[in-house]
Amino acid sequence: MVPLSWYIVLSAVVFSIGVVGFLIRRNIIIMLISIEIMLNAVNISLAAFSHYLQDIRGQIFVFFVIAVAAAEVAIGLALIIALFRNKPTLNVDEINIMKW
Amino acid sequence: MSFLNLNFMYIKPIAPELIITCIALILMLLDLIVRRKEVIALVGIIGTTLALYLTFKVYGLAGPQTVFNGMFVLDGYSSFFKFIFYINAILTICISLKYMEIEKAAYGEYYALLLFATAGMMIIASALDLIVLYLGIELMSLSTYILVGIIRHDTKSNEAAIKYFLLGGFSSAFLLYGASLIYGLTGTTNIGAIAAFISEKGFAGNQMLLLSMALFTVAFGFKIAAAPFHMWAPDAYEGAPTSITAFMSVGPKAAGFAALGRVFMVAFSSIKVEWSTVLIPLAVLSMCIGNIVAISQTNIKRMLAYSSIAHAGYALLGVIAGTNSGLSSMMNYMFIYAFMNIGAFAVVIMLRREGFKGEDLSDYEGLAKNHPLAAALMLVFMFSLTGIPPTAGFIAKFYVFMEVIKTGHVLLAVIAVLFSVASAFFYLRVVMYMYMKEPRGEVILTTSAPICIALAVTALIVIVFGIFPSSLLDFVSLAISG
């Protein structure tokens, strides 16, 4: 039996990997994947809490998160394709028409 | 108790949401049959008005009605925010009809997406459960991402959508992580039950609770565009179609405040001291960055974006006060802000015509000579955004500042007043350009009946509520009592 705290630590580590990945990588696809990693870190902790508390609510939440994440990716990729048609680049540093 | 027994009692409180969703779906189908976008827009306006009527009918009458196993609530608080969302949707449809044709992006699904985003906001305002809150936020955000990037042939619009999307998704993940921690701590996702559990077990100083509160602050900070989580706002506001800039500077911001008020005042009510300590620097920083950086802007949409960051700071003061009357002053602020901001954007939209952007501040030089009425309206909105009496913007600021002073944050009120004085510089610069400079070239306004109606309504409300604020204040107080 793996104790709850291991799951929580795993979730925190995965979430941090996602945050760091989002902040330091400059490729839009990688940034999108980093967001997905963060969402899945949340899923780990929700499922672990749900099992620990013997409460089904957390797992229902996980289903909603997965469903919404799929919709989010669909929209994100659509936006990336729309951009790519006008400007063939995936580097966010080159997407800089607007600056202060 | 049977949860599957879906009778009419369950449907009635969510009737406005159902109407908005159905109308949005109908609009998508209608787009295939009808070629004229005016028809689609009209159906959208009629549907929203119907929902507004239904919400108005129950407003302030009964106490809170909770349905769907405590996940959804119809109370005065949510109803008041829904008024803001309806008005936002109707006015946005009015100002975008002609404009989207000029931008060559007159798609029918534009109106459907506007209504889907509105439905999302309404769900946020009524959510009494973190799962429902999350779904509402995503429905609103996903629709708004597409709307920002709807001018597919314009790189600026694409870029704005990508930036908004990436940072919006990033902030949603923070919201979810906060929600998962609070779920682990309390074993429930119901906002009321969370509050009961925390006060019962005396978890007030728990570190996991504080961490979760901080994560929620980050997520809501992104949604309301408060500094230091405002980085997306200027780019998204500048690149988006102007009508959508008006839409998203009011709707998602008000929805963010609705969620912030609900979660912080109810679920986190036992750690009020902690969260107000976190929100105070956020408010001060928003007012500072918003007002100071706006001074150096030459693009009016970008300037209004920074101004909207500053206004998020002012409205946050109402939440920081942490009382019911503070909350109602924040709601009052968002209501008035909706009118004055959409009004200002309506004038910006009128300057846009084929082959002429009309977004630069210098385009406003001498506007009063050629178009005295448009210039006068812009003057009213700029005065109102600054907070000069007798406009409604003054009333909004006055009540928010009064509430923070009442709760003992005198220094905070002084800072807010000082920054609001600084804001006069860039708002009144527009007025100065219009009235005190010679026109550089002929500026032709693109007018149409809907945009004139929208301008008339917004200007009228801004002036009438500025002179007679008591009716509005009575209206807001109904929200907190009922």
Side-chain angles (χ1 to χ4, degrees):
Chain A
M1 184 70 189
V2 184
L4 175 72
S5 57
W6 289 27
Y7 286 106
I8 304 311
V9 171
L10 174 69
S11 154
V13 168
V14 174
F15 192 81
S16 312
I17 290 172
V19 172
V20 173
F22 183 87
L23 294 175
I24 65 169
R25 296 297 292 268
R26 304 266 51 96
N27 184 305
I28 300 178
I29 305 279
I30 302 280
M31 289 169 87
L32 193 57
I33 292 170
S34 298
I35 293 175
E36 293 306 308
I37 290 174
M38 288 162 75
L39 293 181
N40 281 317
V42 173
N43 287 347
I44 293 172
S45 73
L46 278 174
F49 281 133
S50 174
H51 183 74
Y52 176 75
L53 298 162
Q54 289 297 306
D55 178 69
I56 201 72
R57 223 180 254 259
Q59 291 176 44
I60 295 169
F61 206 159
V62 169
F63 278 122
F64 278 114
V65 174
I66 291 172
V68 172
E72 200 164 350
V73 169
I75 285 174
L77 291 177
L79 291 175
I80 291 170
I81 289 170
L83 175 76
F84 200 78
R85 282 190 182 144
N86 291 327
K87 188 172 183 171
T89 177
L90 281 176
N91 189 332
V92 280
D93 288 334
E94 287 169 32
I95 307 172
N96 56 2
I97 313 171
M98 290 173 289
K99 263 193 208 154
W100 52 324
Chain B
M1 236 190 334
S2 101
F3 297 119
L4 289 173
N5 184 10
L6 205 65
N7 58 25
F8 189 64
M9 283 301 288
Y10 273 45
I11 299 295
K12 218 173 168 189
I14 61 159
E17 281 82 359
L18 286 179
I19 288 175
I20 294 283
T21 315
C22 289
I23 293 287
L25 293 170
I26 289 170
L27 289 188
M28 287 180 101
L29 292 175
L30 207 61
D31 184 40
L32 299 173
I33 310 160
V34 185
R35 293 204 68 83
R36 290 172 61 88
K37 301 297 171 233
E38 288 86 350
V39 178
I40 297 172
L42 189 67
V43 173
I45 290 176
I46 290 171
T48 317
T49 317
L50 189 65
L52 192 145
Y53 169 72
L54 280 183
T55 308
F56 191 74
K57 227 174 55 178
V58 295
Y59 182 68
L61 281 183
Q65 278 176 282
T66 317
V67 285
F68 293 110
N69 203 11
M71 284 193 152
F72 189 94
V73 67
L74 176 75
D75 55 0
Y77 179 78
S78 62
S79 294
F80 186 83
F81 274 105
K82 280 175 201 171
F83 288 132
I84 300 179
F85 304 146
Y86 298 141
I87 290 161
N88 185 30
I90 293 174
L91 289 177
T92 306
I93 292 175
C94 283
I95 62 174
S96 46
L97 248 179
K98 189 89 181 169
Y99 172 75
M100 292 315 282
E101 271 171 39
I102 295 172
E103 292 285 2
K104 295 191 182 61
Y107 307 114
E109 61 265 32
Y110 173 88
Y111 301 99
L113 284 168
L114 273 181
L115 291 191
F116 278 130
T118 306
M121 294 169 204
M122 292 161 71
I123 292 169
I124 295 171
S126 278
L128 211 55
D129 192 287
L130 294 178
I131 300 177
V132 180
L133 182 73
Y134 170 67
L135 288 178
I137 286 181
E138 287 302 307
L139 178 56
M140 172 189 82
S141 306
L142 293 180
S143 312
T144 322
Y145 300 149
I146 308 172
L147 285 171
V148 170
I150 202 153
I151 313 179
R152 287 204 302 263
H153 51 81
D154 180 23
T155 320
K156 235 177 159 184
S157 176
N158 300 149
E159 181 184 322
I162 291 275
K163 284 180 176 169
Y164 188 26
F165 168 77
L166 284 176
L167 287 168
F170 191 60
S171 76
S172 298
F174 277 96
L175 178 94
L176 278 178
Y177 201 62
S180 87
L181 289 184
I182 207 104
Y183 170 69
L185 188 68
T186 62
T188 175
T189 51
N190 188 295
I191 291 174
I194 290 169
F197 190 89
I198 291 172
S199 62
E200 189 185 315
K201 299 273 166 147
F203 269 156
N206 191 299
Q207 285 185 345
M208 210 147 114
L209 185 66
L210 295 180
L211 179 62
S212 147
M213 184 269 291
L215 290 166
F216 271 105
T217 311
V218 173
F220 292 144
F222 267 106
K223 292 294 169 219
I224 63 173
F229 313 111
H230 67 287
M231 305 80 77
W232 59 272
D235 288 346
Y237 283 31
E238 186 188 340
T242 313
S243 49
I244 292 307
T245 313
F247 181 77
M248 66 192 238
S249 66
V250 173
K253 197 187 284 286
F257 271 108
L260 183 77
R262 179 88 72 189
V263 171
F264 279 31
M265 289 290 286
V266 179
F268 293 146
S269 55
S270 49
I271 49 168
K272 211 173 253 175
V273 182
E274 283 86 349
W275 61 250
S276 65
T277 339
V278 175
L279 288 184
I280 286 172
L282 230 68
V284 173
L285 211 59
S286 303
M287 290 187 281
C288 177
I289 290 180
N291 285 322
I292 305 261
V293 183
I295 291 173
S296 65
Q297 301 304 321
T298 54
N299 181 306
I300 191 148
K301 276 165 82 178
R302 211 172 172 80
M303 188 199 92
L304 285 172
Y306 279 105
S307 119
S308 105
I309 295 167
H311 282 283
Y314 299 130
L316 262 180
L317 296 181
V319 183
I320 289 167
T323 54
N324 272 349
S325 54
L327 213 56
S328 72
S329 76
M330 177 270 280
M331 290 151 75
N332 184 28
Y333 198 98
M334 289 320 293
F335 189 80
I336 291 172
Y337 177 73
F339 284 101
M340 56 192 188
N341 209 42
I342 294 183
F345 276 112
V347 178
V348 176
I349 279 185
M350 285 215 298
L351 261 74
R352 174 86 166 99
R353 64 168 194 273
E354 211 94 30
F356 180 71
K357 281 254 180 235
E359 286 174 11
D360 217 59
L361 272 184
S362 60
D363 295 334
Y364 287 79
E365 284 178 5
L367 193 71
K369 293 264 183 341
N370 297 325
H371 306 284
L373 187 62
L377 287 171
M378 194 61 167
L379 173 106
V380 169
F381 298 130
M382 287 297 135
F383 271 30
S384 184
L385 284 167
T386 321
I388 297 172
T391 52
F394 168 73
I395 303 297
K397 275 196 180 137
F398 178 77
Y399 280 100
V400 169
F401 294 169
M402 209 173 72
E403 289 304 328
V404 269
I405 290 174
K406 257 195 225 162
T407 47
H409 300 94
V410 181
L411 187 64
L412 200 57
V414 172
I415 294 172
V417 170
L418 286 179
F419 277 122
S420 129
V421 171
S423 76
F425 178 80
F426 60 88
Y427 288 130
L428 298 188
R429 184 171 56 189
V430 179
V431 177
M432 192 270 281
Y433 273 44
M434 289 190 304
Y435 279 88
M436 297 177 186
K437 290 210 174 186
E438 285 305 311
R440 289 205 303 189
E442 182 68 15
V443 174
I444 304 159
L445 293 185
T446 322
T447 49
S448 61
I451 201 166
C452 290
I453 294 170
L455 269 173
V457 169
T458 47
L460 202 70
I461 296 269
V462 164
I463 293 171
V464 167
F465 282 154
I467 301 170
F468 308 107
S470 56
S471 51
L472 177 62
L473 295 173
D474 291 343
F475 191 65
V476 181
S477 62
L478 274 181
I480 289 293
S481 62

